[in-house]
Amino acid sequence: MSTRLTGSVAAMVAVSAWGASFVATRIALETLPPVVLVSWRLVTATLLLVWVARGAWDRSRNTGWLERAPIGVLGVVFALHLLVQAWGLEHTTAIHTGWIIGAMPAAIALGARLVHGQRLNRTGWAGLGIAFAGVATVVWHQPAGLGTARFGVLLQVGSIATWTVYTVAAVRPVARWGPLTVTTGSMAVAAAVTAPVALVVGGGTWLPPDGRTWAAVLFLGLVAGGIAQLLWLRSLAEIGAARTAVWLYLEPFVTVAVARALLAEPVGAGAVAGGLVTLAGVAVVQAARETRTRTARAQPARRR
């Protein structure tokens, strides 16, 4: 099997797992408080990643704890991200969440522009406008029968912000220590932060009470948290960021299919329209960034 094919398959499986994770979260939240669910998810994912990344940690032993402080900050942000997302899924559907999360690549492009000075041309800015107009459409069309759905949708918009902060802030640590070390370290910190909170405010519900909830928790931790992350890193290494990112367009469609099959969630026409507009805007942003990159590479280097 060619490297390009294996990289594409790895990205497809990872994105599919993340698309299904919103449904698994909804299932687990039927019996677990959000903070307990997030804690279990982080602990199980950390155990897997620590085992896989043990060699990478050995190579970074000479690094002082103070120097690795950015990884700790990333862990706190990651914990906040998952908590906001789980809290939002208590109030809205997995389908609405999937359409909104589709705007993440556009938000990350904006974050990179503001923090790292990565420029966007006019087409890129237009794409950002289209993507955020699509998100606004999804926010406006709340699901029938869920009186607090709009609040949940706004929380998911907030989760886009937390993930953008995590992604943009991770650029320099990843360049220094590598993606596997940074991912494992930040996830371990997130697990350490959420576990005590889960024990204190978990309302006495600390263990999944039935097989259905256990299955959802293990899927979130081992598959969506650990295995999907490793597959995503493999895809980045084998086919590059641009080709890997294209697979993110699959995520909301996986969410819709799984949510319809397992939860019988309604598919509102307004949310679908807004989701498709969001994806169209993200596609415009991606195309603008790739065009700018090719143009920059084609230009001869200036003499100093």
Side-chain angles (χ1 to χ4, degrees):
M1 188 178 292
S2 67
T3 299
R4 184 168 180 174
L5 179 58
T6 57
S8 297
V9 171
M12 180 184 67
V13 174
V15 169
S16 297
W18 291 334
S21 70
F22 303 128
V23 179
T25 300
R26 286 275 293 176
I27 291 173
L29 287 173
E30 294 174 359
T31 52
L32 289 178
V35 66
V36 175
L37 169 60
V38 169
S39 178
W40 271 106
R41 176 176 182 173
L42 288 168
V43 168
T44 52
T46 298
L47 291 175
L48 175 62
L49 289 174
V50 165
W51 179 78
V52 173
R54 60 193 184 282
W57 282 110
D58 290 341
R59 291 191 295 273
S60 64
R61 281 180 178 176
N62 294 329
T63 305
W65 286 105
L66 186 59
E67 293 179 83
R68 282 189 279 188
I71 297 180
V73 175
L74 287 174
V76 174
V77 175
F78 186 59
L80 177 63
H81 167 71
L82 290 182
L83 286 170
V84 170
Q85 197 171 83
W87 188 20
L89 277 163
E90 273 196 319
H91 298 277
T92 191
T93 65
I95 290 177
H96 262 62
T97 298
W99 287 124
I100 291 171
I101 297 304
M104 270 188 179
I108 291 171
L110 178 59
R113 170 67 182 91
L114 296 176
V115 177
H116 298 301
Q118 296 181 9
R119 295 183 179 180
L120 283 173
N121 57 24
R122 292 180 180 177
T123 303
W125 284 108
L128 285 174
I130 294 170
F132 294 133
V135 170
T137 302
V138 177
V139 171
W140 182 259
H141 290 85
Q142 66 178 16
L146 286 175
T148 59
R150 192 159 294 161
F151 174 67
V153 167
L154 291 175
L155 285 173
Q156 300 306 354
V157 173
S159 78
I160 293 179
T162 55
W163 186 252
T164 299
V165 171
Y166 178 88
T167 303
V168 173
V171 170
R172 289 189 177 90
V174 167
R176 180 171 183 180
W177 293 293
L180 183 56
T181 298
V182 172
T183 300
T184 305
S186 60
M187 194 166 291
V189 170
V193 168
T194 57
V197 179
L199 290 174
V200 173
V201 301
T205 306
W206 300 315
L207 291 174
D210 52 48
R212 175 181 166 92
T213 309
W214 268 112
V217 167
L218 292 177
F219 174 83
L220 288 169
L222 297 180
V223 180
I227 295 174
Q229 186 65 39
L230 293 173
L231 289 174
W232 186 255
L233 296 177
R234 176 174 179 175
S235 179
L236 288 172
E238 292 188 352
I239 64 176
R243 289 194 179 100
T244 300
V246 170
W247 287 98
L248 288 171
Y249 297 115
L250 177 66
E251 185 173 355
F253 297 99
V254 173
T255 302
V256 170
V258 178
R260 285 292 297 167
L262 298 183
L263 301 176
E265 288 188 353
V267 183
V272 172
L276 293 177
V277 170
T278 300
L279 294 181
V282 171
V284 172
V285 174
Q286 292 277 27
R289 294 179 72 186
E290 290 177 13
T291 300
R292 184 175 185 86
T293 301
R294 288 195 299 267
T295 302
R297 289 176 179 173
Q299 291 177 346
R302 295 181 179 178
R303 293 182 180 179
R304 295 183 178 179

